[in-house]
Amino acid sequence: MFALCDCNNFYASCERLFRPDLESRPVAVLSNNDGCVIARSAEVKALGVPMGAPYFKEEGRFRHFGVEVFSSNFPLYEDLSRRVSDTLRSMAPDVEIYSIDEAFLRVDALPAAAADPEGFCRRLRERVLQWTGIPVSIGLGATKTLAKAANRIAKRDPSREGVFAMPGGAEDDPHLEGIDIGDTWGIGLRNAPKLRRFGIGTARGLKYADEEWLKKRFSISEARTSRELNGQVCHPFTERVKPRKTIRVSRSFGNPVMDLHSLREAVSSFAFSAAETLRKQGSAAGKMHLFLMTNPFGEGPGYAAGATEKFDVPASGTIEIVGRAMKCLEGIFVGGLAYKKAGVILTDLTDAACLQRHLFAPMRDPREGALMGVMDQLNRELGKGTVFTASMGILGRRSWVMRQERVSPRYTTRWEEIPAVFPPEGAP
């Protein structure tokens, strides 16, 4: 049996964790550069604010209803996500991380869950709330798709108190009938309208659809989803996260950037972050692509360009990757333009432990691996940006950084931003 643990309104819950005054108040979190709404508390959802709504369109409504608005604080969210995962593993060792706020668990092999899986999940939910302060909902099912469906019911039906288990077989049908086909895991936004045209408007309808017809009209993906709704496992449990095939780091600038110096800082930062992610999954990159573009909707001249560098031997070192990024930037930069976005993409990824050497390429310094390991450890333990390349510029003087006018403190990852508690005035 699979269980899906999903953090409720995760980003909003993270912001509330250190602000108890926000309990029961509407909270919204914005995307990079404070552009769109990417997280909403239940109170904001009740106002009818859609996911992805541009902030400038909702600003008046937020002000009228007293919505507390935050810029995205990903260092805080990532750290709290890790803490939730560690708490889950304290009771259920087999955990498959699905996203920053979701994880699948194997509960059928746990002695503590054998007699009463639903009761076990209630205890797990209470522990997560007690240890991390993050509320979660847990759905149980014979497959991952059914666990996702059960989680949706657990989250939306207050009578379930955050936990729901699919009963199995035909008893699942009334519950699946209440789930729209567009909200069924594995059915994309593109295919949902097509399925509706054929009379399949709910998860139950997909469950009883002919498998061969689904393969012919749609794809194997929809056929597998139908199988999963029938209790046949098509997506097995995989505790080890598959390494990425491509690593991309890109940002829209908070303000248009015109000078080469600022672009060097930005591109260096993107390459630094990409190299860090590369090493984290134990990979090395065979190619690096840099792109640069102006605002396609701006008034000035439009420009978009890219350059690619190939490594003779796949690389994972920050210094080499940043250096190649600088070389690409020099080749595509055109002065006099207001640049809006840039990005670094690493491709042709391979296992860093099994590299194919080049006969004529110079050997890398054997100390590079140890140096990168120490740098990663310092940034992990003392906070992102503790160690960085000089080409990234001085923190606080970077004009290109994204707008974050409403960002909360990084309560759990920065010593200087740890919450301070003071006694009330006049206390002995």
Side-chain angles (χ1 to χ4, degrees), residues 29-292:
V29 179
L30 305 178
S31 62
N32 292 340
N33 289 310
D34 295 344
C36 301
V37 178
I38 59 170
R40 306 155 296 161
S41 67
E43 296 81 6
V44 175
K45 292 176 183 177
L47 295 175
V49 178
M51 179 68 86
Y55 175 58
F56 75 90
K57 289 187 177 182
E58 301 293 340
E59 190 172 5
R61 179 158 44 163
F62 284 174
R63 196 179 301 114
H64 176 75
F65 288 102
V67 177
E68 195 77 26
V69 181
F70 291 93
S71 302
S72 51
N73 186 348
F74 290 113
L76 174 66
Y77 308 153
E78 289 169 3
D79 183 63
L80 290 175
S81 174
R82 177 188 59 79
R83 292 172 187 232
V84 170
S85 301
D86 290 346
T87 304
L88 294 175
R89 290 191 178 94
S90 71
M91 288 183 67
D94 295 334
V95 176
E96 177 187 338
I97 304 301
Y98 181 63
S99 67
I100 193 171
D101 63 345
E102 291 179 286
F104 286 105
L105 296 80
R106 282 288 301 273
V107 297
D108 51 354
L110 294 172
D116 183 12
E118 206 166 341
F120 170 81
C121 288
R122 292 190 190 281
R123 295 191 297 275
L124 178 60
R125 181 174 181 267
E126 289 170 3
R127 178 176 289 192
V128 172
L129 183 62
Q130 182 183 22
W131 287 16
T132 69
I134 301 297
V136 300
S137 297
I138 303 178
L140 294 121
T143 66
K144 287 183 176 179
T145 304
L146 287 171
K148 284 282 280 188
N151 184 277
R152 183 177 180 82
I153 295 168
K155 187 176 289 189
R156 291 174 174 252
D157 186 350
S159 68
R160 306 293 179 181
E161 298 181 339
V163 178
F164 177 68
M166 281 289 186
E171 294 182 49
D172 291 346
D173 292 357
H175 305 293
L176 297 177
E177 185 64 33
I179 299 176
D180 185 82
I181 190 65
D183 297 323
T184 305
W185 192 50
I187 303 300
L189 292 175
R190 182 192 295 180
N191 285 332
K194 296 178 183 177
L195 285 163
R196 288 193 190 96
R197 285 200 293 271
F198 287 105
I200 301 175
T202 66
R204 181 181 182 277
L206 183 63
K207 175 181 178 179
Y208 290 107
D210 182 74
E211 185 178 327
E212 293 304 318
W213 177 84
L214 286 172
K215 290 179 184 177
K216 184 178 179 181
R217 285 282 185 177
F218 296 92
S219 70
I220 189 67
S221 176
E222 283 72 22
R224 283 175 178 162
T225 301
S226 178
R227 281 189 189 179
E228 287 249 52
L229 290 170
N230 279 283
Q232 301 176 42
V233 177
C234 296
H235 302 291
F237 185 86
T238 52
E239 187 174 357
R240 187 176 182 273
V241 179
K242 290 183 179 179
R244 301 186 199 178
K245 296 180 180 179
T246 301
I247 293 174
R248 174 189 176 117
V249 179
S250 63
R251 296 284 186 277
S252 292
F253 304 132
N255 299 296
V257 176
M258 298 188 71
D259 61 292
L260 181 59
H261 176 74
S262 295
L263 279 174
R264 284 199 187 105
E265 290 184 353
V267 170
S268 294
S269 296
F270 301 159
F272 186 98
S273 181
E276 201 170 45
T277 303
L278 187 70
R279 291 192 296 275
K280 189 176 180 180
Q281 70 172 29
S283 299
K287 288 182 182 177
M288 190 209 69
H289 180 76
L290 171 72
F291 71 88
L292 193 63

